[in-house]
Each structure stands twice: as structure tokens, then as C-alpha cells.
Amino acid sequence: MLETLLEPLQYSFMQRSLLVAIIVGIICAVVGSYLMVQRLALLGDAISHSVLPGLAIAFWVGANIFIGAFIAGVISTILINLIRTRSPIKEDAAMGIVFSAFFALGITLITIIQKDNKIDLNHFLFGNILGVTVGDVRDTLISAVVVLLVVFLLYKELLFYTFDPLGAQAVGLPVNLLNLGLMMLIGLTIVASLKAVGVVLVLSLLITPASTAYLLVKRLHEVMILGVGIGILSSISGMYISYFYNLPSGPAIVLVSFGLFILAFLFSPTQGILTHPASTSSQPSIWRELKSLIKSN
């Protein structure tokens, strides 16, 4: 059994892939917790699709694709905010407009690049974690450190803003900056995850581990911690399944994550539809955490 577990680790590409998968599992669960409790899953989808033109342009000019993707994500975030704040159009419509336009532009650019260079860039869409380089590991690790450091330093402020934007504004918090900062964290997380699962599947890693954790615990920091564990387990298990059964790595990771969600959905001690068919919660603990935070301030 031990030999079987250690077998993939004799290859340097598997070592790099597992390291990236673990890092991605951690930051996606942390940032995805905010998306999940704020009911902004569409925002993650919008930003993940919006980075595609930046990826294509960076590849075209020979620049770092992480930087190109992040710049495109920031531009799309600013556009969404402008449309939302300077027009009567609601946020969900603004996200739909921007992400569909950016995604269409990205597909167009990729098609042009592939036609001129006779290369396959579909790994941007579906990921290619087995092809990560030492530079990719470095860039992913730097992105993860930045994301986790910001979340650690601004945990209380982001918690307050996430659940009560009007209350946060009333006590003097810079809600516009917090909103922009949260979107940039989402964009940075998505960029860091592109090599692992690609544009199409990254939303699953952002939402599914956090949602699974939310079925098992209620306080936000508990959702984050358990979500990180679920993300790491999904990433490692998916990589091993991919290795031994010759399956695509990104989809394998996502399917493992979904399988864990189904188990929690069915058998959660407090929320499972088989263990507590009529389970309801009059006041989730995550709201009580917010109230205690407000009182402490």
C-alpha cells in the first residue's frame, strides 16, 4: 500500500502537480467561503471566464500568463463595478454582460493564435496540471501567500462587509474598497488555479469545498478550515485517481470534490437529507458570529 502511494512521487512532474493541487485546494476553499456565503457564485464564474483574453494576449506577446490573466480579471472587475454603480443594471446582469464578452474575446484570440502558430491552447480552458513547471509552482505559491495574508489581515472587515454591507458602511468601513479587494482576491485565486483545472472548471473548486463544509459546520472560520481540508483531500485524491486510471487530472479533482459534497448533502449530522430530512435552522451560527463581531467592536 505504501509503495503504491509513493509510486507517483518518484516523478518530478507529479511532485510539482501535487504541490500546485494542494495550494489551489487551500486558497480556493478560503476565498470560495466568501463567495458561497455572499451568494456570489456567478461572480466567480464571471471572473474566471474574463481572464481568458489576458491569458491569450500574454501568450501571444511572450509575457507571463499569470500576469496577463490577473490584469484581465482586474479590468473585468472594474467594468462590472462601473456598470453596477453607474447604471440601473443589476450586478448579476452586469456580470453576465462582461464575462460573456470577455470569454468571447478570449476564444476569438485563442482561435487566431492557434491558426497562426499551429499549437493547441485548449489547456487554458481545461487545465494542464501535469505540465506545470517550477516557474508555475513559484507563481502559484506567491499568489497563495498574497491571498492568505490579505484574508488573515482583513478577516473581520471582510466578514462584516460580506454579511452586512450597509452596516459596514455605517460604521465607517471602506465598503467600495473591500468589494474591489474581494473581487481582486477572487481573480488572483482563479489565476493561480488555471494550470490545475482551467477556466471552465475553476468555479467548482471555488464553490464546492466551501459548500461541503457549510453543510457540516456553520461559523465562517470553521467553514474555511474544513473547506481547506476538503480542498486538499479532493486535490490529492483526484491526482492519484488521474495517475492510476489515466484520467484528466482537473476533471478528476472536481469529481472527487463533488462526490464529497454529495456525501455531506446526504449524511451531514445536522443538514443531511437522509439523517435530518426536515432539518431547518432558524439562525445559522455564521450570523451569530457576525453579531458577536459587531458587539465586540
Side-chain angles (χ1 to χ4, degrees):
M1 182 64 179
L2 183 60
E3 290 181 358
T4 301
L5 292 175
L6 293 177
E7 180 183 335
L9 299 180
Q10 64 183 309
Y11 303 105
S12 58
F13 75 90
M14 279 298 294
Q15 296 171 10
R16 294 191 298 269
S17 300
L18 279 168
L19 182 56
V20 167
I22 291 171
I23 295 171
V24 166
I26 293 172
I27 59 174
C28 281
V30 171
V31 175
S33 298
Y34 288 112
L35 276 178
M36 188 271 301
V37 298
Q38 206 174 4
R39 299 179 181 178
L40 284 177
L42 181 59
L43 177 60
D45 196 34
I47 297 177
S48 66
H49 285 74
S50 298
V51 303
L52 197 57
L55 284 169
I57 293 172
F59 183 87
W60 202 351
V61 301
N64 188 306
I65 63 170
F66 284 85
I67 296 175
F70 182 69
I71 292 174
V74 170
I75 293 174
S76 69
T77 295
I78 293 173
L79 282 177
I80 291 170
N81 270 325
L82 281 175
I83 295 172
R84 178 179 63 88
T85 57
R86 301 297 179 88
S87 74
I89 296 174
K90 300 298 183 182
E91 189 171 35
D92 57 344
M95 288 187 287
I97 293 168
V98 172
F99 99 70
S100 57
F102 272 60
F103 190 62
L105 176 60
I107 293 295
T108 302
L109 290 174
I110 286 178
T111 302
I112 294 172
I113 294 171
Q114 290 184 146
K115 187 184 300 182
D116 293 341
N117 296 277
K118 307 299 181 184
I119 56 176
D120 183 13
L121 298 181
N122 287 331
H123 59 274
F124 286 160
L125 297 176
F126 306 108
N128 183 26
I129 194 170
L130 296 180
V132 296
T133 63
V134 174
D136 293 331
V137 175
R138 179 203 61 218
D139 293 341
T140 304
L141 185 58
I142 292 173
S143 300
V145 170
V146 172
V147 168
L148 295 177
L149 184 61
V150 172
V151 170
F152 176 77
L153 294 176
L154 298 179
Y155 174 79
K156 289 185 178 181
E157 289 80 3
L158 287 173
L159 173 66
F160 199 170
Y161 166 73
T162 297
F163 289 102
D164 190 3
L166 293 178
Q169 187 173 21
V171 299
L173 290 178
V175 292
N176 289 331
L177 286 178
L178 287 173
N179 181 60
L180 181 61
L182 182 58
M183 288 191 175
M184 292 181 70
L185 283 180
I186 296 167
L188 193 57
T189 301
I190 289 169
V191 170
S193 308
L194 287 175
K195 276 287 187 176
V197 292
V199 167
V200 174
L201 298 175
V202 69
L203 182 64
S204 177
L205 280 189
L206 271 172
I207 299 300
T208 309
S211 299
T212 305
Y214 189 62
L215 292 175
L216 301 171
V217 295
K218 290 302 176 187
R219 301 178 73 86
L220 182 59
H221 69 278
E222 294 174 346
V223 171
M224 286 184 177
I225 293 171
L226 183 57
V228 165
I230 293 170
I232 292 174
L233 178 61
S234 301
S235 298
I236 295 176
S237 300
M239 288 300 300
Y240 271 87
I241 290 172
S242 168
Y243 176 83
F244 286 111
Y245 294 97
N246 195 27
L247 298 174
S249 302
I253 293 172
V254 170
L255 288 175
V256 171
S257 181
F258 178 70
L260 295 175
F261 171 79
I262 292 298
L263 290 176
F265 181 65
L266 295 175
F267 302 110
S268 167
T270 58
Q271 303 292 330
I273 62 173
L274 295 183
T275 53
H276 286 75
S279 173
T280 59
S281 177
S282 59
Q283 187 181 42
S285 299
I286 204 161
W287 286 99
R288 292 196 294 270
E289 180 181 359
L290 176 61
K291 286 186 176 181
S292 64
L293 173 63
I294 295 173
K295 290 179 181 178
S296 67
N297 289 336

